[in-house]
Amino acid sequence: MFYIFSLSVLTSLKESYDKALQRDDVKAIVVTGAKGKFSGGFDITAFGGIQGGKVEEPKPGYISIDIVTDTLEGARKPSVAAIDGLALGGGLEVAMACHARISTPTAQLGLPELQLGIIPGFGGTQRLPRLVGLSKALEMMLMSKPVKGQEAHALGLVDAIVPSDELVKVARRWALDMVECRKPWIASLYKTDKLEPLGDAREILKFARAQARKQAPNLEHPQACIDAIEEGIISGPRAGLVREVENFQKLLHSDTCKSLVHIFFSQRGTTKVPGVTDLGLMPRKIKNVAIIGGGLMGSGIATALILSNYPVILKEVNEKFLEAGLGRVKANLQSRVKKGKMTQERFEKTLSLIKGTLGYESFRDVDMVIEAVIEKVSLKQQIFADLEKYCSPQCILASNTSTIDLNLIGEKTCSHDRIIGAHFFSPAHVMPLLEVVRTQKTSPQVIVDLLDVGKKIKKTPVVVGNCTGFAVNRVFFPYTQAAILLAEHGTDVYQIDQVITKFGMPMGPFRLVDLVGFGVAIATGTQFVENFPERSYKSMLVPLMQEDKRAGEATRKGFYVYDSKRKANPDPEIKKYIEQARSISGVKVDSKMSKLSSKDIVEMIFFPVVNEACRVLAEGIVVKAADLDIASVMGMGFPPYRGGITFWADSLGSKYICSRLEEWSKTYGDFFKPCAYLAERAAKGASLSAPVEQAKSRNIISVLVFLSPIDAFWRIVKHRSTEEFESLPYICTLLNSLLWTYYGITKPGGLLVATVNGFGVVVETIYIIIFLTFAANKMRVRTAIVAGVLDIGFFAAVVLVTQLMLEDELRIDVIGLISAGLNIVMYASPLSAMKTVVTTKSVEYMPFFLSFFLFLNGGVWAFYAVLVRDPFLGIPNGAGFILGIAQLVLYAIYRNSKQSKSILPVIEEGSNSKHEPLLSPPTVSTSQ
Ligand SMILES: C[C@H](O)CC(=O)SCCNC(=O)CCNC(=O)[C@H](O)C(C)(C)COP(=O)(O)OP(=O)(O)OC[C@H]1O[C@@H](n2cnc3c(N)ncnc32)[C@H](O)[C@@H]1OP(=O)(O)O
């Protein structure tokens, strides 16, 4: 049997059964998995095909009734499932249709379909309650919670537990015993002994419904699961199977299922980072880790590490702080013991993995250090300089900073390649997300190492670029700012929180500020106001409240007041602060804002978040939109059943979001102004998650531009003479392509720019070699000198200066500026040539295709530049577009003119030509 079921696997299972039933030498059947795994269930990748109508759906009941129930369970010969590893979803459903189940103690058995927005579809809703009882079955399905072999045995889900190497042998014997009637031959579907009496069953189901509605008010599928179970209990298991199939098929096409499947695959995709994880690098073994700072974050990180068996050294500045830090770690573990998640024995063992220190002496042997001290640049700089001194040269130097530029932190070191951000979310031992922050200098090996540690400590690591707030905090800074903007304009604070919670966030923006604490909120808010002043909403609301000693939940007063049980209650007093803040901002109550619908509130809070997500995508801060979806779900609690922030935004459409933001920005200012990336997607009706595809068409045109002078060069080769052609434009284009390639390599996410222009480098070099081969002597020398000076000398100087004298962002800007400047020069170069066409009335040296593609190239890039409001891109390409049109017009006018006689002798003289080239060569300014 295969690990994942597909329709064809199930069909072949039926065929194998049919054959086995016919053969006299087969007395009983054992169903087992390959390589120690029974089955992970139905192939989730096939869902997309079914949802998109590309794969034909089997007729209702074909699998669950025809195959699983009538063929497997209804067979004339008994079958036993031999389960090792995983038996999940459809895998367990097939096992439950067998007449007995034998498993290893470590096997995991469960029906986790609900986490994908569907319900079990091969009879699980009917058989599981009949094997383990209604309450346990509901718990396992509604919480998608698997059980281990041992527990499954106690529950009655499996009939015997055996070691892995005896599994198949015991299962065979069991099956033969069934044939000989020495063991009972049981069809789970018709078992009733575990089912509660009808009255009790109805009560259990009623309670489960209420719980599911309370925990997941926006979700339909938990109720649909209970419906199918209830139908089976009231009207019999076959009727239950029919209801299960109907509900399964409906849910498979729901938005919830599509979103949750997207989350499933996106979560597994975060560790696939082009240019990093595809280099064949193996993670190095991290044997021990040191943590600097035992505060809330440091102690949380230490807890996460020791829980996964990493020995940890915790460093503090004095005994008192060290003791407090170690105490926090101990308390974190004790809380697990209290909740029954950890035994006392394991507690002792885990705690023994952490050691405290006040000095750096023991740091020589650690493989990774994570700094988690307060957000003070000079302190962090000193720590990293010390680490460079005390740690081994291979040691990974990570910082848990949430705001400070990593380049700044490492400024006093020469270890930039091993400096990386390990941004945990508080509480670090609980929250599942880890932002792995890379700078342009962080080596791929160090990223691979941290990704591995992240996975080992059961976090979902997402690789992000180095910018203010990284991915999560940056994308969500408008979340609170939008809420404050609405409140100042008249929307009720508590209505906002209520609507946002109903949307599916764990808490509304004001409740969140209370939880985080006003001190932290002001400090991080200031970072965004300073870094993104043009799009920040500046308000005094939070500082005013803080001045009045309302600083959030910790002070029992913030936007809410908190009782002794920490229950949040609205406080009418906050109106006073809102009025004060409003008068400072000069804002008036807007009657529209006080009557906003829930939909408007959701959109006004989240569309600015989507807008910032677009900027993060455009800047290449995350590798792909799906990473942002995972970051939003795991870092901010964005509802997974909405698929994450960009998936949700795409379900509404970029056009709609952009138009709403534009409308609000007219009244409420630049806070809502759609960014260039969003505007571009909206103009094209394109999705937010597919940026690269959009760029491809532009880059194809760029490639065609590079190739367009091929006919001219073919002519040079054929005539073995460069005739009237000039080499200078091609020399300049080579320089331009070299610079854009360098720009693409330097800029994160600039792979496509580098590739397209790298292609240009190759083509232009060939053109110049052709020139050097076929030009007359004088031209050949001139070409060699100019190419040497520009393409080798000038380019080398740019690389040297930018590498040695400039840092990161500034370096990228300077390279971009030089490249754009050169584009303008080159687009302007055909001006004198056009004059020649007019005076000689000849288009002989004006290759039509070059003109045409140049016009196209200038056009698409200028259009793109208008959309993205990028003057560096727009000015040269706009000029190129206009010149391209002029050239085409000239071509049309002089196309049929006889060749000017005056030009002929000059052509024959070849290199003595005084004419300029008739057209500018390709100039490609690509961006992603
Ligand atoms: C009608 C039926 O009732 C419907 C169904 O059966 S729906 C399916 C029910 N099954 C599930 O929900 C199980 C989903 N899978 C999981 O929870 C986990 O993958 C697992 C516990 C099986 C294994 O976990 P782990 O060992 O950490 O490996 P993990 O990285 O998750 O998966 C390994 C690979 O298998 C893939 N995979 C796992 N289960 C899959 C499935 N059911 N279908 C398709 N691909 C699957 C993963 O996407 C991943 O692919 P990648 O290597 O290309 O990224």
Side-chain angles (χ1 to χ4, degrees), residues 4-8 41-58 248 252-253 257 261 265:
I4 301 291
F5 287 144
S6 62
L7 191 56
S8 62
F42 195 71
D43 183 1
I44 304 167
T45 53
F47 287 7
I50 298 173
Q51 287 156 349
K54 288 186 202 121
V55 176
E56 211 187 315
E57 231 168 309
F248 176 85
L252 188 59
H253 294 274
C257 173
V261 167
F265 287 115

PDB file of all heavy atoms in Angstrom, residues 4-8 41-58 248 252-253 257 261 265:
ATOM      1  N   ILE A   4       0.331   7.831   0.628  1.00  0.00           N
ATOM      2  CA  ILE A   4      -0.773   8.771   0.428  1.00  0.00           C
ATOM      3  C   ILE A   4      -1.779   8.136  -0.546  1.00  0.00           C
ATOM      4  O   ILE A   4      -1.390   7.596  -1.567  1.00  0.00           O
ATOM      5  CB  ILE A   4      -0.247  10.095  -0.199  1.00  0.00           C
ATOM      6  CG1 ILE A   4       0.808  10.751   0.698  1.00  0.00           C
ATOM      7  CG2 ILE A   4      -1.380  11.059  -0.482  1.00  0.00           C
ATOM      8  CD1 ILE A   4       0.309  11.316   1.989  1.00  0.00           C
ATOM      9  N   PHE A   5      -3.067   8.233  -0.216  1.00  0.00           N
ATOM     10  CA  PHE A   5      -4.083   7.663  -1.101  1.00  0.00           C
ATOM     11  C   PHE A   5      -4.446   8.629  -2.214  1.00  0.00           C
ATOM     12  O   PHE A   5      -4.669   9.806  -1.964  1.00  0.00           O
ATOM     13  CB  PHE A   5      -5.384   7.409  -0.329  1.00  0.00           C
ATOM     14  CG  PHE A   5      -5.319   6.243   0.611  1.00  0.00           C
ATOM     15  CD1 PHE A   5      -5.989   6.286   1.819  1.00  0.00           C
ATOM     16  CD2 PHE A   5      -4.628   5.098   0.281  1.00  0.00           C
ATOM     17  CE1 PHE A   5      -5.955   5.216   2.689  1.00  0.00           C
ATOM     18  CE2 PHE A   5      -4.588   4.024   1.143  1.00  0.00           C
ATOM     19  CZ  PHE A   5      -5.251   4.080   2.360  1.00  0.00           C
ATOM     20  N   SER A   6      -4.553   8.087  -3.406  1.00  0.00           N
ATOM     21  CA  SER A   6      -5.165   8.853  -4.483  1.00  0.00           C
ATOM     22  C   SER A   6      -6.306   7.989  -4.981  1.00  0.00           C
ATOM     23  O   SER A   6      -6.458   6.832  -4.556  1.00  0.00           O
ATOM     24  CB  SER A   6      -4.147   9.078  -5.607  1.00  0.00           C
ATOM     25  OG  SER A   6      -3.766   7.821  -6.119  1.00  0.00           O
ATOM     26  N   LEU A   7      -7.072   8.533  -5.902  1.00  0.00           N
ATOM     27  CA  LEU A   7      -8.196   7.763  -6.417  1.00  0.00           C
ATOM     28  C   LEU A   7      -7.698   6.468  -7.059  1.00  0.00           C
ATOM     29  O   LEU A   7      -8.277   5.387  -6.867  1.00  0.00           O
ATOM     30  CB  LEU A   7      -8.950   8.619  -7.442  1.00  0.00           C
ATOM     31  CG  LEU A   7     -10.294   8.083  -7.877  1.00  0.00           C
ATOM     32  CD1 LEU A   7     -11.197   7.848  -6.679  1.00  0.00           C
ATOM     33  CD2 LEU A   7     -10.948   9.050  -8.849  1.00  0.00           C
ATOM     34  N   SER A   8      -6.561   6.575  -7.783  1.00  0.00           N
ATOM     35  CA  SER A   8      -6.075   5.378  -8.471  1.00  0.00           C
ATOM     36  C   SER A   8      -5.550   4.344  -7.469  1.00  0.00           C
ATOM     37  O   SER A   8      -5.711   3.137  -7.680  1.00  0.00           O
ATOM     38  CB  SER A   8      -5.006   5.740  -9.498  1.00  0.00           C
ATOM     39  OG  SER A   8      -3.922   6.309  -8.836  1.00  0.00           O
ATOM     40  N   GLY A  41      -3.291   9.511   4.629  1.00  0.00           N
ATOM     41  CA  GLY A  41      -4.640   9.886   4.213  1.00  0.00           C
ATOM     42  C   GLY A  41      -4.725  10.193   2.740  1.00  0.00           C
ATOM     43  O   GLY A  41      -3.811   9.882   1.969  1.00  0.00           O
ATOM     44  N   PHE A  42      -5.831  10.806   2.366  1.00  0.00           N
ATOM     45  CA  PHE A  42      -6.067  11.097   0.956  1.00  0.00           C
ATOM     46  C   PHE A  42      -5.103  12.201   0.504  1.00  0.00           C
ATOM     47  O   PHE A  42      -4.677  13.034   1.297  1.00  0.00           O
ATOM     48  CB  PHE A  42      -7.521  11.531   0.741  1.00  0.00           C
ATOM     49  CG  PHE A  42      -7.917  11.489  -0.705  1.00  0.00           C
ATOM     50  CD1 PHE A  42      -8.080  10.272  -1.357  1.00  0.00           C
ATOM     51  CD2 PHE A  42      -8.086  12.661  -1.427  1.00  0.00           C
ATOM     52  CE1 PHE A  42      -8.419  10.230  -2.706  1.00  0.00           C
ATOM     53  CE2 PHE A  42      -8.429  12.616  -2.771  1.00  0.00           C
ATOM     54  CZ  PHE A  42      -8.596  11.402  -3.409  1.00  0.00           C
ATOM     55  N   ASP A  43      -4.764  12.168  -0.779  1.00  0.00           N
ATOM     56  CA  ASP A  43      -3.807  13.118  -1.337  1.00  0.00           C
ATOM     57  C   ASP A  43      -4.398  14.536  -1.372  1.00  0.00           C
ATOM     58  O   ASP A  43      -5.266  14.836  -2.195  1.00  0.00           O
ATOM     59  CB  ASP A  43      -3.445  12.657  -2.760  1.00  0.00           C
ATOM     60  CG  ASP A  43      -2.393  13.554  -3.377  1.00  0.00           C
ATOM     61  OD1 ASP A  43      -1.941  14.496  -2.702  1.00  0.00           O
ATOM     62  OD2 ASP A  43      -2.027  13.300  -4.536  1.00  0.00           O
ATOM     63  N   ILE A  44      -3.874  15.387  -0.498  1.00  0.00           N
ATOM     64  CA  ILE A  44      -4.432  16.744  -0.391  1.00  0.00           C
ATOM     65  C   ILE A  44      -4.112  17.565  -1.642  1.00  0.00           C
ATOM     66  O   ILE A  44      -4.859  18.462  -2.015  1.00  0.00           O
ATOM     67  CB  ILE A  44      -3.898  17.452   0.881  1.00  0.00           C
ATOM     68  CG1 ILE A  44      -4.216  16.602   2.118  1.00  0.00           C
ATOM     69  CG2 ILE A  44      -4.494  18.832   1.061  1.00  0.00           C
ATOM     70  CD1 ILE A  44      -3.480  17.025   3.373  1.00  0.00           C
ATOM     71  N   THR A  45      -3.026  17.206  -2.315  1.00  0.00           N
ATOM     72  CA  THR A  45      -2.695  17.965  -3.538  1.00  0.00           C
ATOM     73  C   THR A  45      -3.763  17.775  -4.612  1.00  0.00           C
ATOM     74  O   THR A  45      -3.914  18.608  -5.495  1.00  0.00           O
ATOM     75  CB  THR A  45      -1.334  17.541  -4.127  1.00  0.00           C
ATOM     76  OG1 THR A  45      -1.364  16.122  -4.291  1.00  0.00           O
ATOM     77  CG2 THR A  45      -0.170  17.909  -3.263  1.00  0.00           C
ATOM     78  N   ALA A  46      -4.503  16.665  -4.511  1.00  0.00           N
ATOM     79  CA  ALA A  46      -5.542  16.416  -5.523  1.00  0.00           C
ATOM     80  C   ALA A  46      -6.771  17.299  -5.295  1.00  0.00           C
ATOM     81  O   ALA A  46      -7.589  17.466  -6.204  1.00  0.00           O
ATOM     82  CB  ALA A  46      -5.956  14.943  -5.492  1.00  0.00           C
ATOM     83  N   PHE A  47      -6.898  17.889  -4.104  1.00  0.00           N
ATOM     84  CA  PHE A  47      -8.081  18.717  -3.823  1.00  0.00           C
ATOM     85  C   PHE A  47      -8.191  19.876  -4.818  1.00  0.00           C
ATOM     86  O   PHE A  47      -9.265  20.186  -5.301  1.00  0.00           O
ATOM     87  CB  PHE A  47      -8.018  19.318  -2.409  1.00  0.00           C
ATOM     88  CG  PHE A  47      -8.256  18.318  -1.300  1.00  0.00           C
ATOM     89  CD1 PHE A  47      -8.360  16.963  -1.548  1.00  0.00           C
ATOM     90  CD2 PHE A  47      -8.373  18.757   0.009  1.00  0.00           C
ATOM     91  CE1 PHE A  47      -8.564  16.059  -0.515  1.00  0.00           C
ATOM     92  CE2 PHE A  47      -8.587  17.866   1.048  1.00  0.00           C
ATOM     93  CZ  PHE A  47      -8.672  16.516   0.781  1.00  0.00           C
ATOM     94  N   GLY A  48      -7.032  20.496  -5.096  1.00  0.00           N
ATOM     95  CA  GLY A  48      -7.023  21.653  -5.987  1.00  0.00           C
ATOM     96  C   GLY A  48      -7.595  21.295  -7.346  1.00  0.00           C
ATOM     97  O   GLY A  48      -8.400  22.046  -7.909  1.00  0.00           O
ATOM     98  N   GLY A  49      -7.204  20.134  -7.874  1.00  0.00           N
ATOM     99  CA  GLY A  49      -7.692  19.693  -9.183  1.00  0.00           C
ATOM    100  C   GLY A  49      -9.195  19.494  -9.156  1.00  0.00           C
ATOM    101  O   GLY A  49      -9.912  19.904 -10.088  1.00  0.00           O
ATOM    102  N   ILE A  50      -9.677  18.887  -8.080  1.00  0.00           N
ATOM    103  CA  ILE A  50     -11.128  18.644  -7.973  1.00  0.00           C
ATOM    104  C   ILE A  50     -11.861  19.988  -7.848  1.00  0.00           C
ATOM    105  O   ILE A  50     -12.850  20.248  -8.542  1.00  0.00           O
ATOM    106  CB  ILE A  50     -11.441  17.731  -6.759  1.00  0.00           C
ATOM    107  CG1 ILE A  50     -10.764  16.360  -6.935  1.00  0.00           C
ATOM    108  CG2 ILE A  50     -12.950  17.571  -6.575  1.00  0.00           C
ATOM    109  CD1 ILE A  50     -10.869  15.434  -5.743  1.00  0.00           C
ATOM    110  N   GLN A  51     -11.301  20.882  -6.997  1.00  0.00           N
ATOM    111  CA  GLN A  51     -11.966  22.177  -6.796  1.00  0.00           C
ATOM    112  C   GLN A  51     -11.990  23.000  -8.084  1.00  0.00           C
ATOM    113  O   GLN A  51     -12.963  23.669  -8.388  1.00  0.00           O
ATOM    114  CB  GLN A  51     -11.234  22.980  -5.696  1.00  0.00           C
ATOM    115  CG  GLN A  51     -11.491  22.432  -4.317  1.00  0.00           C
ATOM    116  CD  GLN A  51     -10.387  22.786  -3.322  1.00  0.00           C
ATOM    117  OE1 GLN A  51      -9.318  23.268  -3.685  1.00  0.00           O
ATOM    118  NE2 GLN A  51     -10.639  22.528  -2.046  1.00  0.00           N
ATOM    119  N   GLY A  52     -10.912  22.897  -8.846  1.00  0.00           N
ATOM    120  CA  GLY A  52     -10.840  23.670 -10.083  1.00  0.00           C
ATOM    121  C   GLY A  52     -11.540  22.979 -11.242  1.00  0.00           C
ATOM    122  O   GLY A  52     -11.521  23.473 -12.365  1.00  0.00           O
ATOM    123  N   GLY A  53     -12.126  21.818 -11.014  1.00  0.00           N
ATOM    124  CA  GLY A  53     -12.851  21.103 -12.064  1.00  0.00           C
ATOM    125  C   GLY A  53     -11.923  20.406 -13.047  1.00  0.00           C
ATOM    126  O   GLY A  53     -12.356  19.922 -14.089  1.00  0.00           O
ATOM    127  N   LYS A  54     -10.599  20.363 -12.732  1.00  0.00           N
ATOM    128  CA  LYS A  54      -9.660  19.738 -13.678  1.00  0.00           C
ATOM    129  C   LYS A  54      -9.639  18.224 -13.503  1.00  0.00           C
ATOM    130  O   LYS A  54      -9.280  17.492 -14.417  1.00  0.00           O
ATOM    131  CB  LYS A  54      -8.252  20.300 -13.458  1.00  0.00           C
ATOM    132  CG  LYS A  54      -8.133  21.725 -13.949  1.00  0.00           C
ATOM    133  CD  LYS A  54      -6.698  22.206 -13.846  1.00  0.00           C
ATOM    134  CE  LYS A  54      -6.652  23.717 -13.806  1.00  0.00           C
ATOM    135  NZ  LYS A  54      -6.032  24.254 -12.618  1.00  0.00           N
ATOM    136  N   VAL A  55      -9.947  17.774 -12.289  1.00  0.00           N
ATOM    137  CA  VAL A  55      -9.969  16.336 -12.034  1.00  0.00           C
ATOM    138  C   VAL A  55     -11.413  15.931 -11.775  1.00  0.00           C
ATOM    139  O   VAL A  55     -12.134  16.595 -11.023  1.00  0.00           O
ATOM    140  CB  VAL A  55      -9.109  15.990 -10.784  1.00  0.00           C
ATOM    141  CG1 VAL A  55      -9.205  14.514 -10.438  1.00  0.00           C
ATOM    142  CG2 VAL A  55      -7.668  16.406 -11.005  1.00  0.00           C
ATOM    143  N   GLU A  56     -11.819  14.854 -12.420  1.00  0.00           N
ATOM    144  CA  GLU A  56     -13.212  14.436 -12.270  1.00  0.00           C
ATOM    145  C   GLU A  56     -13.437  13.853 -10.873  1.00  0.00           C
ATOM    146  O   GLU A  56     -12.634  13.031 -10.397  1.00  0.00           O
ATOM    147  CB  GLU A  56     -13.541  13.396 -13.334  1.00  0.00           C
ATOM    148  CG  GLU A  56     -15.004  13.485 -13.744  1.00  0.00           C
ATOM    149  CD  GLU A  56     -15.384  12.346 -14.666  1.00  0.00           C
ATOM    150  OE1 GLU A  56     -14.584  12.073 -15.603  1.00  0.00           O
ATOM    151  OE2 GLU A  56     -16.430  11.726 -14.428  1.00  0.00           O
ATOM    152  N   GLU A  57     -14.505  14.299 -10.241  1.00  0.00           N
ATOM    153  CA  GLU A  57     -14.825  13.788  -8.908  1.00  0.00           C
ATOM    154  C   GLU A  57     -15.463  12.410  -9.053  1.00  0.00           C
ATOM    155  O   GLU A  57     -16.297  12.214  -9.936  1.00  0.00           O
ATOM    156  CB  GLU A  57     -15.837  14.746  -8.274  1.00  0.00           C
ATOM    157  CG  GLU A  57     -15.449  15.209  -6.919  1.00  0.00           C
ATOM    158  CD  GLU A  57     -16.329  16.361  -6.457  1.00  0.00           C
ATOM    159  OE1 GLU A  57     -16.480  17.343  -7.203  1.00  0.00           O
ATOM    160  OE2 GLU A  57     -16.859  16.250  -5.372  1.00  0.00           O
ATOM    161  N   PRO A  58     -15.080  11.438  -8.192  1.00  0.00           N
ATOM    162  CA  PRO A  58     -15.748  10.139  -8.302  1.00  0.00           C
ATOM    163  C   PRO A  58     -17.221  10.269  -7.952  1.00  0.00           C
ATOM    164  O   PRO A  58     -17.606  11.181  -7.222  1.00  0.00           O
ATOM    165  CB  PRO A  58     -15.016   9.291  -7.250  1.00  0.00           C
ATOM    166  CG  PRO A  58     -14.340  10.261  -6.344  1.00  0.00           C
ATOM    167  CD  PRO A  58     -14.105  11.507  -7.111  1.00  0.00           C
ATOM    168  N   PHE A 248     -19.244  16.065   2.774  1.00  0.00           N
ATOM    169  CA  PHE A 248     -17.834  16.088   2.374  1.00  0.00           C
ATOM    170  C   PHE A 248     -17.687  16.815   1.033  1.00  0.00           C
ATOM    171  O   PHE A 248     -16.846  17.686   0.864  1.00  0.00           O
ATOM    172  CB  PHE A 248     -17.283  14.663   2.287  1.00  0.00           C
ATOM    173  CG  PHE A 248     -15.874  14.591   1.785  1.00  0.00           C
ATOM    174  CD1 PHE A 248     -14.806  14.737   2.656  1.00  0.00           C
ATOM    175  CD2 PHE A 248     -15.594  14.393   0.431  1.00  0.00           C
ATOM    176  CE1 PHE A 248     -13.497  14.685   2.210  1.00  0.00           C
ATOM    177  CE2 PHE A 248     -14.295  14.343  -0.039  1.00  0.00           C
ATOM    178  CZ  PHE A 248     -13.236  14.481   0.852  1.00  0.00           C
ATOM    179  N   LEU A 252     -15.725  20.323   0.383  1.00  0.00           N
ATOM    180  CA  LEU A 252     -14.496  20.285  -0.410  1.00  0.00           C
ATOM    181  C   LEU A 252     -14.385  21.519  -1.313  1.00  0.00           C
ATOM    182  O   LEU A 252     -13.290  21.973  -1.635  1.00  0.00           O
ATOM    183  CB  LEU A 252     -14.487  19.006  -1.258  1.00  0.00           C
ATOM    184  CG  LEU A 252     -13.214  18.682  -2.013  1.00  0.00           C
ATOM    185  CD1 LEU A 252     -12.039  18.532  -1.070  1.00  0.00           C
ATOM    186  CD2 LEU A 252     -13.381  17.394  -2.819  1.00  0.00           C
ATOM    187  N   HIS A 253     -15.544  22.073  -1.703  1.00  0.00           N
ATOM    188  CA  HIS A 253     -15.531  23.237  -2.591  1.00  0.00           C
ATOM    189  C   HIS A 253     -15.652  24.559  -1.829  1.00  0.00           C
ATOM    190  O   HIS A 253     -15.798  25.612  -2.449  1.00  0.00           O
ATOM    191  CB  HIS A 253     -16.664  23.115  -3.618  1.00  0.00           C
ATOM    192  CG  HIS A 253     -16.448  21.956  -4.563  1.00  0.00           C
ATOM    193  ND1 HIS A 253     -15.699  22.078  -5.706  1.00  0.00           N
ATOM    194  CD2 HIS A 253     -16.834  20.669  -4.489  1.00  0.00           C
ATOM    195  CE1 HIS A 253     -15.647  20.894  -6.320  1.00  0.00           C
ATOM    196  NE2 HIS A 253     -16.335  20.021  -5.600  1.00  0.00           N
ATOM    197  N   CYS A 257     -12.172  25.391   3.069  1.00  0.00           N
ATOM    198  CA  CYS A 257     -11.288  24.280   2.705  1.00  0.00           C
ATOM    199  C   CYS A 257     -10.130  24.796   1.847  1.00  0.00           C
ATOM    200  O   CYS A 257      -8.965  24.470   2.101  1.00  0.00           O
ATOM    201  CB  CYS A 257     -12.090  23.205   1.976  1.00  0.00           C
ATOM    202  SG  CYS A 257     -11.046  21.901   1.316  1.00  0.00           S
ATOM    203  N   VAL A 261      -6.299  24.428   3.117  1.00  0.00           N
ATOM    204  CA  VAL A 261      -5.345  23.637   2.331  1.00  0.00           C
ATOM    205  C   VAL A 261      -4.162  24.536   1.926  1.00  0.00           C
ATOM    206  O   VAL A 261      -3.000  24.122   1.976  1.00  0.00           O
ATOM    207  CB  VAL A 261      -6.044  23.016   1.095  1.00  0.00           C
ATOM    208  CG1 VAL A 261      -5.027  22.468   0.114  1.00  0.00           C
ATOM    209  CG2 VAL A 261      -7.001  21.913   1.541  1.00  0.00           C
ATOM    210  N   PHE A 265      -0.140  23.709   2.903  1.00  0.00           N
ATOM    211  CA  PHE A 265       1.030  23.637   2.020  1.00  0.00           C
ATOM    212  C   PHE A 265       1.979  24.824   2.239  1.00  0.00           C
ATOM    213  O   PHE A 265       3.200  24.662   2.168  1.00  0.00           O
ATOM    214  CB  PHE A 265       0.608  23.522   0.554  1.00  0.00           C
ATOM    215  CG  PHE A 265       0.051  22.160   0.234  1.00  0.00           C
ATOM    216  CD1 PHE A 265      -1.270  21.997  -0.136  1.00  0.00           C
ATOM    217  CD2 PHE A 265       0.841  21.028   0.349  1.00  0.00           C
ATOM    218  CE1 PHE A 265      -1.794  20.729  -0.394  1.00  0.00           C
ATOM    219  CE2 PHE A 265       0.334  19.759   0.097  1.00  0.00           C
ATOM    220  CZ  PHE A 265      -0.988  19.611  -0.283  1.00  0.00           C
TER     221      PHE A 265
END
